[in-house]
Amino acid sequence: MSKRLQFVVGKGGVGKSTVAAALAVAAAGPNERVLLLELGAPGGAARLLSPGKPGRGPVEVLDGLYLDCVEGDAALAEYLELVVPIRRLLRLVFESNLYRSFVAAAPGLKELMTMGKIWFEAERRDAAGKPLWDCIVVDAGASGHSLKYLQMPATAAATFKSGLVHRESQRVEALLEDPSLSVVHVVASPEDMPLFEAAEIVEKLNGPLSMPFGKLFVNRCRERPPEGAGTAVDSLRRFTPLPEQRALRDAVVDAAASCLGWYRVQERGIAAVEDRLGLRVCRLPLQQSEEFGLAELRLLASLVKDAVQDPGGTSDSRDEVS
């Protein structure tokens, strides 16, 4: 992976955590150290890669791949541990009602601390002075909340004109906006609303947010039906079966018509988004399996790796099925 810090955002339920995990698996290896961060409590990536809840600190879940979760409260506590070395005094701070009220009420504090934690991990060095992580993939949560995280450093830097918060926010903002280091991928599913929301996110990244946009992944795409599938369904619908076969005929017709209908919705939605944004989306297949596991994730990892390395994308032109 060419970018050391990769964010993955998208509407809830589109497979964003799965794509983030696939990106991390694609980047990991015997000679690579990759950190997959989930913002908030352990979620989809943790359930997929680690049966147990990760403890505090990165946990190695595959060869070269480490998983951790970043929560605002924990990030603030970790920061205070760095600046307040006296444990007894620190315990009194954490237990005070004033501290708890401040954390709950301070606008954007948790988001700012979370982004500061990501910056800290990106800047960490080993004993030889090399970056501790070759790549960091951030599962940034549902799109509305994730954009709040991404905006917070710039907002804080503009709000606090000087001082510690201003300087720290500027450093985080510089990292996020550096196209040589960072990138934001957007994930959607092939339906109208997720695609529409994904297009809005891409426009915000390229516009007011001024953050480097990577790829628009459209997850769970259906394969193109065989040529003449629509005509075959129409012919089957007109076919008069024996009475005892009518229920079976109707069930087959309904299932086939539903598949064709969803495929048309998919293709129209993708075409509209590509025209709107002037780019090619990266299609990821709908995998038919009883349980999505490591084998399916590795297949997805190979596809996202190819997509990220392809500057043009992986979408192709599709015609309406006949």
Side-chain angles (χ1 to χ4, degrees):
M1 298 289 180
S2 58
K3 305 298 175 66
R4 288 191 57 237
L5 182 56
Q6 305 199 30
F7 291 88
V8 184
V9 304
K11 185 179 178 67
V14 300
K16 168 187 55 60
S17 295
T18 302
V19 173
L23 283 164
V25 170
N31 300 317
E32 301 289 331
R33 286 175 57 91
V34 175
L35 176 62
L36 174 58
L37 287 174
E38 287 193 290
L39 300 193
R47 289 191 296 271
L48 185 60
L49 291 169
S50 178
K53 181 179 178 180
R56 188 173 183 182
V59 176
E60 189 170 19
V61 291
L62 292 174
D63 189 15
L65 175 57
Y66 295 76
L67 176 65
D68 200 2
C69 301
V70 182
E71 298 184 79
D73 291 350
L76 177 57
E78 185 175 342
Y79 173 76
L80 290 176
E81 288 175 358
L82 294 175
V83 298
V84 183
I86 304 175
R87 298 298 176 187
R88 183 166 173 268
L89 177 59
L90 191 63
R91 187 174 65 254
L92 292 174
V93 171
F94 289 156
E95 293 175 353
S96 71
N97 291 330
L98 179 60
Y99 170 80
R100 294 170 184 169
S101 300
F102 172 72
V103 172
L109 177 62
K110 295 179 181 179
E111 289 81 3
L112 184 59
M113 289 295 102
T114 297
M115 298 309 295
K117 169 64 174 175
I118 295 171
W119 175 88
F120 172 75
E121 292 293 347
E123 292 295 311
R124 289 180 70 181
R125 297 291 188 269
D126 61 17
K130 295 176 57 179
L132 182 62
W133 307 111
D134 296 292
C135 179
I136 299 174
V137 179
V138 182
D139 178 2
S143 50
H145 205 191
S146 63
L147 292 184
K148 186 177 180 181
Y149 279 113
L150 295 174
Q151 287 175 294
M152 186 48 60
T155 301
T159 302
F160 298 91
K161 302 300 183 182
S162 61
L164 177 62
V165 175
H166 176 77
R167 292 194 299 273
E168 294 298 317
S169 300
Q170 275 193 319
R171 291 202 293 182
V172 179
E173 181 186 9
L175 173 66
L176 298 181
E177 295 182 355
D178 187 343
S180 68
L181 296 175
S182 303
V183 70
V184 182
H185 303 296
V186 182
V187 182
S189 55
E191 292 92 33
D192 290 340
M193 285 303 297
L195 286 168
F196 177 81
E197 184 169 325
E200 287 191 325
I201 296 172
V202 173
E203 289 171 341
K204 288 178 181 178
L205 292 171
N206 290 331
L209 288 180
S210 298
M211 295 190 65
F213 164 67
K215 297 291 183 181
L216 172 51
F217 292 102
V218 181
N219 192 30
R220 299 196 288 263
C221 286
R222 294 164 174 81
E223 294 184 3
R224 178 180 174 84
E227 191 68 31
T231 302
V233 171
D234 290 338
S235 298
L236 185 59
R237 185 179 284 115
R238 293 190 297 269
F239 171 71
T240 303
L242 296 173
E244 63 271 19
Q245 297 174 334
R246 183 164 298 166
L248 177 60
R249 189 277 313 267
D250 292 344
V252 172
V253 167
D254 290 345
S258 177
C259 290
L260 293 176
W262 277 114
Y263 180 79
R264 294 187 179 103
V265 168
Q266 166 183 299
E267 295 308 304
R268 284 196 294 266
I270 290 176
V273 166
E274 290 184 329
D275 290 342
R276 173 176 171 176
L277 299 176
L279 55 76
R280 299 172 64 199
V281 308
C282 300
R283 296 170 182 259
L284 300 177
L286 174 65
Q287 297 193 55
Q288 303 286 359
S289 59
E290 291 187 10
E291 183 177 355
F292 191 95
L294 191 56
E296 289 79 11
L297 183 62
R298 290 192 184 280
L299 171 60
L300 206 62
S302 67
L303 296 174
V304 299
K305 184 174 184 178
D306 290 343
V308 169
Q309 293 174 345
D310 177 11
T314 60
S315 181
D316 50 13
S317 176
R318 305 292 179 99
D319 299 324
E320 287 289 322
V321 293
S322 58

mmCIF file of all heavy atoms in Angstrom, residues 68-94:
data_model
loop_
_atom_site.group_PDB
_atom_site.id
_atom_site.type_symbol
_atom_site.label_atom_id
_atom_site.label_comp_id
_atom_site.label_asym_id
_atom_site.label_seq_id
_atom_site.Cartn_x
_atom_site.Cartn_y
_atom_site.Cartn_z
ATOM 1 N N ASP A 68 -6.552 -2.770 17.046
ATOM 2 C CA ASP A 68 -6.765 -1.987 18.265
ATOM 3 C C ASP A 68 -8.007 -1.126 18.069
ATOM 4 O O ASP A 68 -8.461 -0.918 16.935
ATOM 5 C CB ASP A 68 -5.552 -1.109 18.563
ATOM 6 C CG ASP A 68 -5.506 -0.652 20.016
ATOM 7 O OD1 ASP A 68 -6.404 -1.048 20.794
ATOM 8 O OD2 ASP A 68 -4.589 0.109 20.374
ATOM 9 N N CYS A 69 -8.563 -0.665 19.166
ATOM 10 C CA CYS A 69 -9.722 0.222 19.146
ATOM 11 C C CYS A 69 -9.354 1.539 19.818
ATOM 12 O O CYS A 69 -8.599 1.549 20.795
ATOM 13 C CB CYS A 69 -10.912 -0.415 19.864
ATOM 14 S SG CYS A 69 -11.437 -1.981 19.144
ATOM 15 N N VAL A 70 -9.876 2.634 19.306
ATOM 16 C CA VAL A 70 -9.589 3.957 19.860
ATOM 17 C C VAL A 70 -10.907 4.606 20.266
ATOM 18 O O VAL A 70 -11.773 4.842 19.425
ATOM 19 C CB VAL A 70 -8.867 4.861 18.837
ATOM 20 C CG1 VAL A 70 -8.540 6.209 19.466
ATOM 21 C CG2 VAL A 70 -7.605 4.189 18.331
ATOM 22 N N GLU A 71 -11.054 4.866 21.547
ATOM 23 C CA GLU A 71 -12.210 5.582 22.059
ATOM 24 C C GLU A 71 -11.748 6.909 22.641
ATOM 25 O O GLU A 71 -10.651 7.006 23.213
ATOM 26 C CB GLU A 71 -12.940 4.756 23.120
ATOM 27 C CG GLU A 71 -13.487 3.437 22.596
ATOM 28 C CD GLU A 71 -14.285 2.685 23.644
ATOM 29 O OE1 GLU A 71 -15.447 3.045 23.870
ATOM 30 O OE2 GLU A 71 -13.736 1.745 24.229
ATOM 31 N N GLY A 72 -12.588 7.928 22.505
ATOM 32 C CA GLY A 72 -12.212 9.266 22.954
ATOM 33 C C GLY A 72 -11.831 9.325 24.415
ATOM 34 O O GLY A 72 -10.816 9.936 24.791
ATOM 35 N N ASP A 73 -12.610 8.683 25.281
ATOM 36 C CA ASP A 73 -12.314 8.701 26.715
ATOM 37 C C ASP A 73 -10.960 8.074 26.996
ATOM 38 O O ASP A 73 -10.151 8.599 27.773
ATOM 39 C CB ASP A 73 -13.395 7.937 27.490
ATOM 40 C CG ASP A 73 -14.729 8.662 27.470
ATOM 41 O OD1 ASP A 73 -14.767 9.822 27.024
ATOM 42 O OD2 ASP A 73 -15.731 8.063 27.890
ATOM 43 N N ALA A 74 -10.701 6.913 26.378
ATOM 44 C CA ALA A 74 -9.436 6.212 26.610
ATOM 45 C C ALA A 74 -8.262 7.014 26.047
ATOM 46 O O ALA A 74 -7.179 7.041 26.648
ATOM 47 C CB ALA A 74 -9.487 4.833 25.969
ATOM 48 N N ALA A 75 -8.463 7.654 24.896
ATOM 49 C CA ALA A 75 -7.391 8.454 24.301
ATOM 50 C C ALA A 75 -7.044 9.639 25.186
ATOM 51 O O ALA A 75 -5.867 9.991 25.356
ATOM 52 C CB ALA A 75 -7.807 8.932 22.907
ATOM 53 N N LEU A 76 -8.063 10.281 25.780
ATOM 54 C CA LEU A 76 -7.807 11.392 26.687
ATOM 55 C C LEU A 76 -7.077 10.910 27.931
ATOM 56 O O LEU A 76 -6.126 11.548 28.395
ATOM 57 C CB LEU A 76 -9.128 12.060 27.070
ATOM 58 C CG LEU A 76 -9.040 13.203 28.078
ATOM 59 C CD1 LEU A 76 -8.113 14.301 27.572
ATOM 60 C CD2 LEU A 76 -10.426 13.767 28.389
ATOM 61 N N ALA A 77 -7.507 9.773 28.467
ATOM 62 C CA ALA A 77 -6.844 9.224 29.647
ATOM 63 C C ALA A 77 -5.382 8.889 29.344
ATOM 64 O O ALA A 77 -4.484 9.148 30.161
ATOM 65 C CB ALA A 77 -7.581 7.983 30.130
ATOM 66 N N GLU A 78 -5.128 8.328 28.159
ATOM 67 C CA GLU A 78 -3.753 7.988 27.776
ATOM 68 C C GLU A 78 -2.904 9.246 27.660
ATOM 69 O O GLU A 78 -1.739 9.271 28.071
ATOM 70 C CB GLU A 78 -3.768 7.230 26.456
ATOM 71 C CG GLU A 78 -2.418 6.716 26.027
ATOM 72 C CD GLU A 78 -2.496 5.860 24.773
ATOM 73 O OE1 GLU A 78 -3.597 5.398 24.433
ATOM 74 O OE2 GLU A 78 -1.441 5.653 24.129
ATOM 75 N N TYR A 79 -3.500 10.318 27.112
ATOM 76 C CA TYR A 79 -2.759 11.579 26.981
ATOM 77 C C TYR A 79 -2.424 12.146 28.370
ATOM 78 O O TYR A 79 -1.298 12.595 28.613
ATOM 79 C CB TYR A 79 -3.596 12.587 26.194
ATOM 80 C CG TYR A 79 -2.992 13.975 26.157
ATOM 81 C CD1 TYR A 79 -1.904 14.253 25.328
ATOM 82 C CD2 TYR A 79 -3.502 14.994 26.948
ATOM 83 C CE1 TYR A 79 -1.343 15.518 25.291
ATOM 84 C CE2 TYR A 79 -2.952 16.259 26.922
ATOM 85 C CZ TYR A 79 -1.877 16.522 26.099
ATOM 86 O OH TYR A 79 -1.318 17.770 26.068
ATOM 87 N N LEU A 80 -3.391 12.088 29.279
ATOM 88 C CA LEU A 80 -3.145 12.608 30.621
ATOM 89 C C LEU A 80 -2.075 11.796 31.348
ATOM 90 O O LEU A 80 -1.292 12.336 32.141
ATOM 91 C CB LEU A 80 -4.441 12.609 31.427
ATOM 92 C CG LEU A 80 -5.494 13.640 30.987
ATOM 93 C CD1 LEU A 80 -6.772 13.484 31.793
ATOM 94 C CD2 LEU A 80 -4.958 15.068 31.117
ATOM 95 N N GLU A 81 -1.997 10.506 31.076
ATOM 96 C CA GLU A 81 -0.959 9.680 31.682
ATOM 97 C C GLU A 81 0.431 10.106 31.229
ATOM 98 O O GLU A 81 1.415 9.945 31.960
ATOM 99 C CB GLU A 81 -1.194 8.210 31.356
ATOM 100 C CG GLU A 81 -2.380 7.591 32.086
ATOM 101 C CD GLU A 81 -2.647 6.168 31.646
ATOM 102 O OE1 GLU A 81 -1.932 5.692 30.742
ATOM 103 O OE2 GLU A 81 -3.574 5.538 32.186
ATOM 104 N N LEU A 82 0.503 10.659 30.013
ATOM 105 C CA LEU A 82 1.794 11.125 29.500
ATOM 106 C C LEU A 82 2.215 12.440 30.139
ATOM 107 O O LEU A 82 3.403 12.678 30.369
ATOM 108 C CB LEU A 82 1.725 11.288 27.971
ATOM 109 C CG LEU A 82 1.531 10.009 27.151
ATOM 110 C CD1 LEU A 82 1.358 10.352 25.673
ATOM 111 C CD2 LEU A 82 2.712 9.063 27.334
ATOM 112 N N VAL A 83 1.251 13.317 30.429
ATOM 113 C CA VAL A 83 1.592 14.654 30.925
ATOM 114 C C VAL A 83 1.479 14.758 32.440
ATOM 115 O O VAL A 83 1.967 15.726 33.027
ATOM 116 C CB VAL A 83 0.698 15.725 30.252
ATOM 117 C CG1 VAL A 83 0.924 15.731 28.750
ATOM 118 C CG2 VAL A 83 -0.772 15.506 30.567
ATOM 119 N N VAL A 84 0.818 13.788 33.083
ATOM 120 C CA VAL A 84 0.704 13.786 34.551
ATOM 121 C C VAL A 84 1.346 12.493 35.063
ATOM 122 O O VAL A 84 0.676 11.469 35.210
ATOM 123 C CB VAL A 84 -0.767 13.874 35.008
ATOM 124 C CG1 VAL A 84 -0.830 13.947 36.540
ATOM 125 C CG2 VAL A 84 -1.455 15.072 34.385
ATOM 126 N N PRO A 85 2.635 12.493 35.325
ATOM 127 C CA PRO A 85 3.329 11.245 35.685
ATOM 128 C C PRO A 85 3.012 10.738 37.089
ATOM 129 O O PRO A 85 3.316 9.591 37.405
ATOM 130 C CB PRO A 85 4.808 11.634 35.556
ATOM 131 C CG PRO A 85 4.834 13.113 35.802
ATOM 132 C CD PRO A 85 3.547 13.643 35.252
ATOM 133 N N ILE A 86 2.423 11.552 37.937
ATOM 134 C CA ILE A 86 2.150 11.145 39.321
ATOM 135 C C ILE A 86 0.853 10.339 39.342
ATOM 136 O O ILE A 86 -0.237 10.883 39.150
ATOM 137 C CB ILE A 86 2.044 12.373 40.245
ATOM 138 C CG1 ILE A 86 3.321 13.226 40.141
ATOM 139 C CG2 ILE A 86 1.805 11.935 41.686
ATOM 140 C CD1 ILE A 86 3.258 14.519 40.920
ATOM 141 N N ARG A 87 0.955 9.021 39.540
ATOM 142 C CA ARG A 87 -0.199 8.134 39.437
ATOM 143 C C ARG A 87 -1.291 8.476 40.438
ATOM 144 O O ARG A 87 -2.481 8.425 40.123
ATOM 145 C CB ARG A 87 0.244 6.681 39.645
ATOM 146 C CG ARG A 87 1.218 6.185 38.607
ATOM 147 C CD ARG A 87 0.601 6.202 37.226
ATOM 148 N NE ARG A 87 1.545 5.809 36.194
ATOM 149 C CZ ARG A 87 1.293 5.868 34.893
ATOM 150 N NH1 ARG A 87 0.122 6.327 34.489
ATOM 151 N NH2 ARG A 87 2.196 5.509 34.017
ATOM 152 N N ARG A 88 -0.908 8.829 41.655
ATOM 153 C CA ARG A 88 -1.911 9.123 42.680
ATOM 154 C C ARG A 88 -2.725 10.346 42.290
ATOM 155 O O ARG A 88 -3.957 10.371 42.428
ATOM 156 C CB ARG A 88 -1.207 9.344 44.024
ATOM 157 C CG ARG A 88 -2.163 9.585 45.185
ATOM 158 C CD ARG A 88 -1.414 9.441 46.511
ATOM 159 N NE ARG A 88 -2.258 9.815 47.624
ATOM 160 C CZ ARG A 88 -2.313 11.053 48.131
ATOM 161 N NH1 ARG A 88 -1.556 12.009 47.611
ATOM 162 N NH2 ARG A 88 -3.101 11.320 49.159
ATOM 163 N N LEU A 89 -2.037 11.365 41.806
ATOM 164 C CA LEU A 89 -2.734 12.573 41.367
ATOM 165 C C LEU A 89 -3.622 12.272 40.163
ATOM 166 O O LEU A 89 -4.753 12.766 40.067
ATOM 167 C CB LEU A 89 -1.707 13.662 41.017
ATOM 168 C CG LEU A 89 -2.270 14.976 40.459
ATOM 169 C CD1 LEU A 89 -3.226 15.622 41.454
ATOM 170 C CD2 LEU A 89 -1.122 15.921 40.111
ATOM 171 N N LEU A 90 -3.126 11.438 39.256
ATOM 172 C CA LEU A 90 -3.889 11.089 38.068
ATOM 173 C C LEU A 90 -5.172 10.342 38.431
ATOM 174 O O LEU A 90 -6.232 10.590 37.855
ATOM 175 C CB LEU A 90 -3.030 10.227 37.138
ATOM 176 C CG LEU A 90 -3.559 9.976 35.731
ATOM 177 C CD1 LEU A 90 -3.678 11.274 34.960
ATOM 178 C CD2 LEU A 90 -2.630 9.025 34.994
ATOM 179 N N ARG A 91 -5.073 9.443 39.402
ATOM 180 C CA ARG A 91 -6.257 8.703 39.837
ATOM 181 C C ARG A 91 -7.308 9.650 40.420
ATOM 182 O O ARG A 91 -8.507 9.504 40.177
ATOM 183 C CB ARG A 91 -5.864 7.643 40.858
ATOM 184 C CG ARG A 91 -7.028 6.722 41.238
ATOM 185 C CD ARG A 91 -6.595 5.578 42.135
ATOM 186 N NE ARG A 91 -6.131 6.054 43.435
ATOM 187 C CZ ARG A 91 -4.862 6.095 43.823
ATOM 188 N NH1 ARG A 91 -3.907 5.685 43.005
ATOM 189 N NH2 ARG A 91 -4.517 6.544 45.016
ATOM 190 N N LEU A 92 -6.860 10.637 41.164
ATOM 191 C CA LEU A 92 -7.793 11.618 41.726
ATOM 192 C C LEU A 92 -8.478 12.413 40.629
ATOM 193 O O LEU A 92 -9.670 12.732 40.720
ATOM 194 C CB LEU A 92 -7.042 12.569 42.676
ATOM 195 C CG LEU A 92 -6.509 11.947 43.971
ATOM 196 C CD1 LEU A 92 -5.676 12.964 44.745
ATOM 197 C CD2 LEU A 92 -7.655 11.431 44.822
ATOM 198 N N VAL A 93 -7.725 12.731 39.553
ATOM 199 C CA VAL A 93 -8.314 13.453 38.421
ATOM 200 C C VAL A 93 -9.403 12.611 37.765
ATOM 201 O O VAL A 93 -10.518 13.088 37.515
ATOM 202 C CB VAL A 93 -7.222 13.833 37.394
ATOM 203 C CG1 VAL A 93 -7.860 14.375 36.123
ATOM 204 C CG2 VAL A 93 -6.277 14.858 37.980
ATOM 205 N N PHE A 94 -9.101 11.342 37.477
ATOM 206 C CA PHE A 94 -10.058 10.470 36.789
ATOM 207 C C PHE A 94 -11.324 10.248 37.620
ATOM 208 O O PHE A 94 -12.417 10.097 37.065
ATOM 209 C CB PHE A 94 -9.422 9.115 36.473
ATOM 210 C CG PHE A 94 -8.369 9.164 35.394
ATOM 211 C CD1 PHE A 94 -7.378 8.202 35.332
ATOM 212 C CD2 PHE A 94 -8.388 10.176 34.449
ATOM 213 C CE1 PHE A 94 -6.415 8.237 34.325
ATOM 214 C CE2 PHE A 94 -7.422 10.230 33.456
ATOM 215 C CZ PHE A 94 -6.427 9.267 33.396
#
